[in-house]
Amino acid sequence: MIRFLRKNARSEVDVVISEQEGVRSLHLGGSMIQSAMRITEPNALELVYTQCMMGFLLFRPMPSHILMIGLGGGSLAKFVYHKMSQTKTTVVEISQQVISAAASYFALPEEDGRFEIILADGAEYVVDHPLSTDILMVDGFHDGCQIAALCSQEFYNRAHQTLREDGILVVNLLSRDKNLNIYLQRIKDSFQGHVIAMMSEVRGNLIVFAFKQSPGKLTWKVLKTRAKKLEETYGLPFSDFVSKLRKYNAGHGSYLEI
């Protein structure tokens, strides 16, 4: 079943919803899956890359506020809302059609004191909200391409300013993007090199974690211990996340220094 939603004049994107084998998917501007929800488990993280984005919990386990740029089907927002009762989530989304689709087809929770959606341009929003969040999650694509305003040097500079003292920027990039190394260098420049990353899957998404302040040296053993505790709480494969971090950041040897 495929449902087509009217083009939004503001964001110039076609919103398409498909459903196959019990999984409902959101497509923005093309065939690439932007978000997915297993209908029998609407609050679970169906896509591996969204699971990997929660890897920030290895370093900041109890954020009071998470700011997300890009709603999609609301997978990450729902997961945080239902699993992290101490955390407030603000989602900035430029398209009203995307918000409507998420609410109608992807079991998005009602807004309340812990969850709000703001209809705005994410790149503009961060300019006016310095020191406003502990975690900034950025997942902005149009038909498989990074949205230019969300991967510029200026944006990453502003992202650094938006984060509080021990804040973390979490960015979803495509490993096959021809400009990947440019984006990575921009993030490193904005965050003084305090950056690590991991591949979600082979030739898949690259998840980048950039730290406003270096957490210093961490042994892989410490991270594995943290991962076991987080797995019990959230049901996500954090031990796999540690392995992926170690594989991608192999030059650190027996410890991780960020």
Side-chain angles (χ1 to χ4, degrees):
M1 179 179 66
I2 301 178
R3 301 179 186 273
F4 294 88
L5 300 182
R6 183 171 52 85
K7 180 176 285 189
N8 181 337
R10 176 185 171 92
S11 61
E12 294 298 322
V13 62
D14 285 319
V15 180
V16 180
I17 298 169
S18 66
E19 193 171 306
Q20 186 175 9
E21 298 180 351
V23 176
R24 186 173 295 162
S25 299
L26 177 73
H27 314 264
L28 301 179
S31 61
M32 184 176 177
I33 294 175
Q34 179 75 19
S35 186
M37 176 188 76
R38 188 164 296 276
I39 295 171
T40 57
E41 298 181 83
N43 300 320
L45 294 175
E46 179 69 17
L47 299 180
V48 174
Y49 92 85
T50 59
Q51 297 177 15
C52 290
M53 290 184 76
M54 294 301 299
F56 73 81
L57 289 168
L58 288 163
F59 309 96
R60 188 72 187 269
M62 295 186 66
S64 62
H65 184 253
I66 296 177
L67 173 62
M68 300 180 182
I69 295 181
L71 174 66
S75 297
L76 286 164
K78 288 187 296 180
F79 185 85
V80 171
Y81 183 80
H82 290 286
K83 293 284 190 176
M84 301 173 65
S85 59
Q86 79 284 2
T87 302
K88 179 180 178 179
T89 303
T90 301
V91 184
V92 180
E93 170 57 52
I94 196 172
S95 168
Q96 180 59 56
Q97 290 297 103
V98 170
I99 296 172
S100 298
S104 298
Y105 298 104
F106 291 89
L108 198 67
E110 295 287 337
E111 293 183 69
D112 59 19
R114 291 199 302 111
F115 176 59
E116 67 173 334
I117 300 173
I118 296 174
L119 180 63
D121 184 315
E124 296 177 0
Y125 183 88
V126 297
V127 173
D128 299 322
H129 293 81
L131 301 174
S132 63
T133 192
D134 302 304
I135 307 294
L136 173 56
M137 308 183 80
V138 181
D139 187 11
F141 287 88
H142 180 262
D143 195 19
C145 296
Q146 291 284 139
I147 295 174
L150 297 179
C151 58
S152 68
Q153 190 70 69
E154 180 181 3
F155 173 75
Y156 292 132
N157 289 341
R158 293 292 188 180
H160 184 275
Q161 296 171 9
T162 299
L163 290 166
R164 295 170 184 158
E165 184 176 1
D166 295 321
I168 304 174
L169 170 68
V170 185
V171 184
N172 175 36
L173 300 174
L174 287 181
S175 63
R176 62 181 180 272
D177 193 314
K178 65 180 182 180
N179 294 316
L180 176 65
N181 289 333
I182 294 174
Y183 303 149
L184 287 173
Q185 189 58 54
R186 289 173 181 171
I187 298 172
K188 290 177 180 178
D189 289 345
S190 295
F191 284 79
Q192 295 79 50
H194 303 316
V195 176
I196 56 173
M198 66 176 170
M199 291 290 299
S200 62
E201 297 174 283
V202 177
R203 294 185 296 277
N205 299 65
L206 183 72
I207 309 303
V208 180
F209 304 94
F211 299 78
K212 187 160 187 177
Q213 292 189 356
S214 170
K217 280 187 178 182
L218 292 167
T219 65
W220 294 112
K221 183 178 180 180
V222 166
L223 287 177
K224 286 181 179 179
T225 300
R226 292 181 183 179
K228 291 296 184 183
K229 293 179 180 179
L230 290 168
E231 286 174 350
E232 295 173 2
T233 302
Y234 297 106
L236 295 177
F238 284 92
S239 294
D240 289 348
F241 301 165
V242 174
S243 296
K244 289 176 178 180
L245 283 170
R246 186 166 191 174
K247 183 176 181 180
Y248 193 85
N249 304 275
H252 292 289
S254 61
Y255 62 87
L256 180 64
E257 185 172 12
I258 307 165

